[in-house]
Amino acid sequence: MNFEFSAEQTQLKDIARKFLEKEDSVKRARTVLEGETSYDEELWKLIAEMGFTATAIPEKYDGLGLGYLELCVIAEELGRSLAPTPFSSSVYLATEFLLKLGSEEVKQNYLPKLASGSLIGTFAHTEGNTSPTEANITCEVKGNLINGTKIVVPDGDVADFAIVTAKEGNDVGLFLVDLSADGVEVVNQQTLDPSRSHASLTFKGAEAITLGSTNEGWDNLQNILDRAAVLFAFEQLGGAEASMDMAKEYAMGRFAFGRSIASFQAIKHKLADMYIAVELARSNCYYGAWALSTDAPELATAAATSRVSASQAFNECSKENIQTHGGMGFTWEFDCHLYYRRCRQLAANIGSQSIWKDKLISSLERANQV
Amino acid sequence: MDFNDTAEEAKFRKEAYEWLKANADLKEGPKDGWRASSEEEGLEQVKVWQNKLYESGWACMHWPKEFGGRESTPIERVIWGQEISKFKVPGGYLEIGQGMAGPVMMMYATEEQKARHLPPMAKGEEIWCQLFSEPGAGSDLAGLKTKSVLEGDTWTINGQKIWTSGAHFSDWGILVTRSDPTAPKHKGLTYFFLDMKSPGVEVRPIKQISGGANFNEVYFTDVKIPDSQRLGAVGDGWKVSLTTLMNERLAVGDASGPDFQEAFTLARGQDLNGSLAIENGAVREKLADWYCQQSGLKFAKYRNISALSRGETPGPQSSITKIVSGNKLQEIANFGMDLMDSAGIVRSDEPDADQSMYQYGFYGAAGIRIAGGTDEILKNIISEQVLGMPQDMRADKGIPFNEIPSSNK
Ligand SMILES: Cc1cc2nc3c(=O)[nH]c(=O)nc-3n(C[C@H](O)[C@H](O)[C@H](O)COP(=O)(O)OP(=O)(O)OC[C@H]3O[C@@H](n4cnc5c(N)ncnc54)[C@H](O)[C@@H]3O)c2cc1C
Ligand SMILES: Cc1cc2nc3c(=O)[nH]c(=O)nc-3n(C[C@H](O)[C@H](O)[C@H](O)COP(=O)(O)OP(=O)(O)OC[C@H]3O[C@@H](n4cnc5c(N)ncnc54)[C@H](O)[C@@H]3O)c2cc1C
């Protein structure tokens, strides 16, 4: 039994953590949140120089050819430090779509630039106030031209291209659209987490390249979402643990009634509950990491398990971190709200908690046909 | 990252499986398992099976060979646990002896006492109980009052213990007493082992909410214990008790009873308001939550095993097992009965009926959340010992024991 990250992977995690601390990633998240820029371009370049964007891309496309376990530990640290960059959109989603479904030509054209961070990709799926389904998607491709509107596309205003879900005939397929091309209108959208930018994308006859075969489009999409879910879960895990640590540290130093508030059982048990949620999430994330890195048949189950568990942990820790801080937790000045916001943003990003719980049970039904 | 055994581990697993295969029956399904029709019958079967394990060198595997063990590594014990769980074999009754009294005897008893008591403990010949809790001292164990007085080299014990599991069929007991009520609370305790047939020991069963009577009140009236049966120094009983409690927490595993798989299977076969329960969104959400908890505990355990396998000390993640599994069991038990609508509460004595499994969990979970450290005490332990937060403020520090406020004063 070797259900742990290797010494090298643990070391990489340590390097990533120290690098993001040194670069003041959390402070940069606040700067983006308060400022006019969509992301921290300098941090993005530094992250790319560290090779993080190239982690899982094969060497023949100028990647590092490391595996997904390495990407998981990096994701955890990006989540811990709230890195205000398009990493999740570009690396967990766009890169994965191209690796799995891109033609050799597309791979040659895009992957080296994704590896170096000089190109940013994203994924555009949502169209309205409801979770996208095969039946309700209205964006449509006819003769290689796409029409329709996607909303709350993470990093939509900074991405060079997007992978877009759209109808073609009776199927929903996946299409690559260059966002600087004619017929694409990008409008920035404000959300409750301005440390991560979002945009709506309107397509009016823009050119669309088909990825994979359209009649397998929906299945391909589910598979990529499962893969991405594991990586998102690691970000959420990092955010959860950071929130827990912040709550503990504040409690130890805050005195009321002549004693540290960390000595009140209501606060101690709150922290114990956070610890329980984080340990369950961490263990489930490891399961997801194993399934992702080995392409295990259990991937759908493991991904949903890690996603649901990590969403729960981050929710528990980020809201109770504010509570532990009392009035200070409710101020703009303290960082608690940055985690509270990011928690919500990540929970919404690739589908809601109810959807992932439903996916989990569906995958178990399939695995355990009776 | 993988779930594979090392070559050595695989060899050991094979050896364990083959021995079990030759000596026991495989379980036929998740619901299949050993069950005795009565406590007496169960005890009899456990003793026979344990003797067989002992004779073949599979009892108390991590113990020294001279006491019947095989000096196994922690990872070998884990592998054995995984393999034996596939078989229908008797279990229970022996945990307190082998898991708590044994380790304490090994640390504090004389060579002669070890040679006398440990092999029968390993063999399952002699059963032990834990005489710690008292009516006024449960979570606050160090508040116990059972009095011990030394005269010559004999101690005289007077007082009462409570919640003593298995006292009614035990041969021996481990006992903590107060030898000096004028010393501060944690300083005046002394620890013994004693023959449960000693004159003056009276065991009275307590009926539990489940209707059974697995635990007891135990009264001591002028019970004599030779000083040679003292474990640790006079006044050092708290330190010895902590050794015991640490072992108890290590020994407590998952709450046994219906888990995700049972609830899932039930929901897939059960009608709810005109369609299958599994199609109901609320049902699916609950099942997903339990699956995540169960899976989280399972993989936390795998992380522990990996640490053991590398020869490292496991992290503190196992401290969450009892809290999570006890509460999950209580929820699943309620859910299972709820799915059967009103009929879920109809009492069934038929052990294979769906109702009885959930009803057993309904009662059992309520006890699991208390026994061996309540949820609240465990959360204190997590916050203090894992997260390093301050201890609770106490009203009993540095005061002579007999001046501390108590429920009766
Ligand atoms: C939106 C808002 C509006 C407000 N408006 C006003 C106002 O108009 N006027 C005004 O005077 N004040 C106002 N307050 C202040 C408010 O009353 C305090 O924030 C609140 O009493 C908590 O005190 P604290 O912030 O100092 O937190 P702390 O007292 O430091 O508490 C921090 C954490 O420790 C916990 N804690 C503290 N003591 C104990 C204990 N004994 N046992 C268990 N847990 C404990 C708390 O529950 C909290 O989780 C406002 C606060 C907010 C958020
Ligand atoms: C099924 C079963 C088997 C048992 N077997 C044995 C046995 O074999 N031998 C033995 O010696 N004992 C045994 N016990 C006793 C068990 O160890 C105690 O019941 C347990 O430690 C709780 O003590 P108590 O019952 O006195 O409850 P209390 O200690 O009175 O607790 C009552 C409530 O107060 C809470 N509480 C107490 N102190 C604190 C605190 N500091 N902070 C927050 N909350 C607190 C508790 O969590 C609980 O909710 C058994 C109990 C059960 C239920």
Side-chain angles (χ1 to χ4, degrees):
Chain A
M1 172 86 55
N2 178 19
F3 192 61
E4 258 305 338
F5 288 97
S6 68
E8 293 76 24
Q9 287 151 0
T10 308
Q11 200 184 4
L12 173 63
K13 179 172 160 168
D14 201 45
I15 290 170
R17 185 188 301 210
K18 291 199 174 118
F19 157 74
L20 290 159
E21 272 170 14
K22 189 179 121 266
E23 293 305 331
D24 252 338
S25 175
V26 177
K27 210 164 146 203
R28 288 170 183 265
R30 175 178 286 278
T31 306
V32 172
L33 178 97
E34 292 173 345
E36 295 299 316
T37 56
S38 294
Y39 72 112
D40 189 318
E41 217 174 323
E42 188 192 34
L43 183 63
W44 175 247
K45 287 205 174 110
L46 290 168
I47 283 175
E49 274 167 29
M50 292 293 287
F52 295 167
T53 41
T55 309
I57 296 176
E59 283 167 297
K60 74 177 207 197
Y61 304 115
D62 298 347
L64 293 178
L66 295 167
Y68 287 93
L69 296 177
E70 284 76 10
L71 199 49
C72 286
V73 299
I74 291 168
E76 185 180 337
E77 295 313 316
L78 292 169
R80 189 187 310 281
S81 64
L82 298 175
T85 70
F87 199 90
S88 52
S89 299
S90 199
V91 179
Y92 315 154
L93 289 163
T95 302
E96 285 301 303
F97 276 109
L98 298 189
L99 272 172
K100 285 280 162 189
L101 305 170
S103 66
E104 191 51 38
E105 190 193 341
V106 164
K107 287 184 188 172
Q108 298 277 5
N109 283 343
Y110 285 83
L111 290 174
K113 293 181 197 147
L114 285 165
S116 70
S118 59
L119 206 61
I120 295 171
T122 189
F123 170 54
H125 192 31
T126 302
E127 298 186 353
N129 278 357
T130 174
S131 67
T133 63
E134 237 176 324
N136 70 14
I137 284 183
T138 61
C139 274
E140 191 165 17
V141 169
K142 269 188 192 146
N144 290 335
L145 298 179
I146 185 166
N147 281 288
T149 298
K150 295 289 182 182
I151 61 167
V152 262
V153 179
D155 308 298
D157 54 337
V158 300
D160 300 289
F161 71 94
I163 310 302
V164 185
T165 50
K167 273 196 314 196
E168 189 176 43
N170 293 325
D171 298 311
V172 169
L174 295 158
F175 302 90
L176 193 167
V177 180
D178 180 351
L179 297 182
S180 59
D182 287 345
V184 181
E185 196 179 298
V186 179
V187 179
N188 188 273
Q189 266 188 311
Q190 290 298 314
T191 69
L192 62 66
D193 182 12
S195 73
R196 299 282 289 101
S197 71
H198 291 75
S200 69
L201 308 179
T202 301
F203 306 110
K204 292 179 180 157
E207 198 182 322
I209 302 171
T210 308
L211 288 180
S213 90
T214 299
N215 60 20
E216 288 170 4
W218 194 255
D219 290 341
N220 287 336
L221 170 65
Q222 300 315 311
N223 179 251
I224 305 287
L225 285 178
D226 286 344
R227 301 175 65 81
V230 175
L231 297 161
F232 274 96
F234 270 90
E235 272 206 19
Q236 293 171 300
L237 173 65
E241 202 170 76
S243 306
M244 174 175 81
D245 292 345
M246 202 190 289
K248 187 184 95 182
E249 199 159 313
Y250 182 80
M252 299 287 271
R254 170 76 176 169
F255 277 66
F257 303 95
R259 44 199 274 213
S260 155
I261 62 163
S263 71
F264 293 123
Q265 214 173 60
I267 297 290
K268 290 167 73 174
H269 287 191
K270 196 186 282 308
L271 264 298
D273 287 336
M274 292 189 210
Y275 175 79
I276 290 169
V278 168
E279 279 310 309
L280 290 174
R282 178 171 297 286
S283 303
N284 283 324
C285 279
Y286 282 27
Y287 177 40
W290 165 80
L292 174 63
S293 66
T294 56
D295 259 322
E298 294 93 333
L299 176 67
T301 301
T305 304
S306 48
R307 166 76 178 174
V308 169
S309 200
S311 295
Q312 281 171 343
F314 200 3
N315 181 45
E316 170 87 16
C317 294
S318 65
K319 75 185 170 71
E320 297 309 321
N321 179 35
I322 294 183
Q323 183 65 14
T324 305
H325 278 72
M328 287 301 179
F330 194 61
T331 62
W332 189 265
E333 182 189 343
F334 271 62
D335 287 341
C336 307
H337 69 113
L338 304 190
Y339 286 90
Y340 193 51
R341 292 172 196 280
R342 184 60 66 80
C343 171
R344 188 86 285 282
Q345 190 271 338
L346 286 171
N349 205 160
I350 47 166
S352 70
Q353 187 74 336
S354 308
I355 293 288
W356 280 100
K357 284 185 178 178
D358 191 69
K359 279 193 197 209
L360 172 55
I361 297 304
S362 299
S363 77
L364 292 165
E365 286 177 304
R366 285 196 303 275
N368 192 357
Q369 296 291 352
V370 178
Chain B
M1 210 183 249
D2 63 58
F3 299 115
N4 305 334
D5 287 333
T6 63
E8 246 169 80
E9 288 163 7
K11 185 165 158 259
F12 178 81
R13 188 183 297 281
K14 187 155 174 272
E15 191 188 338
Y17 182 84
E18 275 168 8
W19 187 87
L20 283 161
K21 190 90 211 308
N23 289 279
D25 294 326
L26 275 165
K27 287 182 188 165
E28 278 159 25
K31 264 194 175 179
D32 195 22
W34 173 77
R35 221 184 268 128
S37 63
S38 69
E39 191 175 72
E40 295 75 35
E41 190 196 288
L43 184 56
E44 212 34 61
Q45 292 180 9
V46 161
K47 285 185 168 189
V48 171
W49 169 244
Q50 188 64 27
N51 188 53
K52 204 166 181 177
L53 290 175
Y54 182 86
E55 294 303 330
S56 310
W58 294 104
C60 296
M61 293 165 49
H62 58 304
W63 284 15
K65 290 189 175 132
E66 52 176 322
F67 304 134
R70 61 192 290 143
E71 294 167 20
S72 289
T73 60
I75 191 75
E76 285 174 343
R77 281 177 79 196
V78 169
I79 292 172
W80 172 258
Q82 290 172 336
E83 294 310 306
I84 202 171
S85 70
K86 299 172 186 162
F87 290 86
K88 238 158 66 170
V89 296
Y93 304 90
L94 304 173
E95 292 89 347
I96 292 176
Q98 297 178 353
M100 297 185 227
V104 168
M105 296 287 279
M106 263 182 251
M107 279 182 78
Y108 294 99
T110 65
E111 289 311 312
E112 265 164 61
Q113 287 168 338
K114 288 190 236 180
R116 156 65 186 85
H117 290 285
L118 293 174
M121 202 184 266
K123 221 182 270 188
E125 238 168 39
E126 291 177 349
I127 309 292
W128 288 66
C129 63
Q130 178 196 15
L131 300 148
F132 280 25
S133 304
E134 295 184 8
S139 300
D140 184 14
L141 176 62
L144 61 88
K145 290 185 179 141
T146 293
K147 207 160 97 184
S148 56
V149 177
L150 179 66
E151 242 187 271
D153 52 14
T154 303
W155 292 83
T156 303
I157 315 292
N158 279 289
Q160 185 203 342
K161 294 290 173 179
I162 195 169
W163 320 128
T164 319
S165 303
H168 53 301
F169 52 69
S170 288
D171 305 290
W172 294 87
I174 41 177
L175 170 71
V176 210
T177 64
R178 183 158 307 276
S179 47
D180 182 359
T182 63
K185 188 165 166 179
H186 295 80
K187 300 268 156 86
L189 304 179
T190 300
Y191 194 118
F192 303 95
F193 69 92
L194 90 157
D195 187 341
M196 288 299 284
K197 282 162 213 84
S198 307
V201 175
E202 190 199 341
V203 176
R204 295 186 200 159
I206 305 174
K207 193 168 173 179
Q208 296 150 198
I209 64 173
S210 57
N214 303 102
F215 58 26
N216 307 271
E217 293 179 295
V218 181
Y219 289 86
F220 295 83
T221 314
D222 293 328
V223 174
K224 304 292 177 194
I225 302 181
D227 189 47
S228 60
Q229 286 177 208
R230 172 168 46 78
L231 296 173
V234 175
D236 257 359
W238 183 244
K239 198 171 102 192
V240 187
S241 304
L242 284 184
T243 315
T244 318
L245 295 179
M246 238 169 54
N247 281 296
E248 177 173 22
R249 300 213 171 101
L250 287 176
V252 187
D254 281 4
S256 70
D259 205 335
F260 168 82
Q261 190 58 44
E262 286 77 16
F264 184 53
T265 307
L266 179 67
R268 297 179 82 185
Q270 186 82 15
D271 206 59
L272 176 63
N273 208 15
S275 50
L276 280 176
I278 192 70
E279 288 159 21
N280 179 291
V283 167
R284 293 173 85 79
E285 281 224 49
K286 283 187 189 165
L287 286 171
D289 286 339
W290 296 325
Y291 185 83
C292 288
Q293 289 172 3
Q294 174 191 272
S295 160
L297 290 181
K298 171 175 157 189
F299 292 110
K301 196 181 286 168
Y302 282 15
R303 287 167 59 208
N304 263 336
I305 297 172
S306 303
L308 289 172
S309 174
R310 293 180 186 192
E312 294 163 4
T313 315
Q317 54 270 21
S318 60
S319 59
I320 70 174
T321 306
K322 196 173 85 89
I323 297 184
V324 175
S325 65
N327 285 281
K328 168 161 57 69
L329 174 59
Q330 205 161 31
E331 287 179 22
I332 289 178
N334 268 301
F335 167 83
M337 289 186 281
D338 214 45
L339 271 196
M340 293 177 239
D341 213 274
S342 296
I345 64 168
V346 175
R347 186 175 143 180
S348 169
D349 290 325
E350 176 54 52
D352 284 322
D354 272 333
Q355 275 100 335
S356 36
M357 176 172 66
Y358 292 102
Q359 289 176 8
Y360 172 84
F362 174 75
Y363 297 126
I368 288 166
R369 293 186 50 207
I370 297 166
T374 65
D375 283 4
E376 290 75 21
I377 293 298
L378 293 177
K379 285 188 187 180
N380 268 5
I381 290 174
I382 290 173
S383 57
E384 291 167 18
Q385 293 175 21
V386 181
L387 299 174
M389 298 174 80
Q391 289 198 338
D392 288 355
M393 294 265 256
R394 323 185 53 135
D396 58 3
K397 273 236 163 110
I399 308 171
F401 178 73
N402 51 12
E403 292 172 21
I404 294 172
S406 71
S407 306
N408 312 332
K409 279 195 264 180

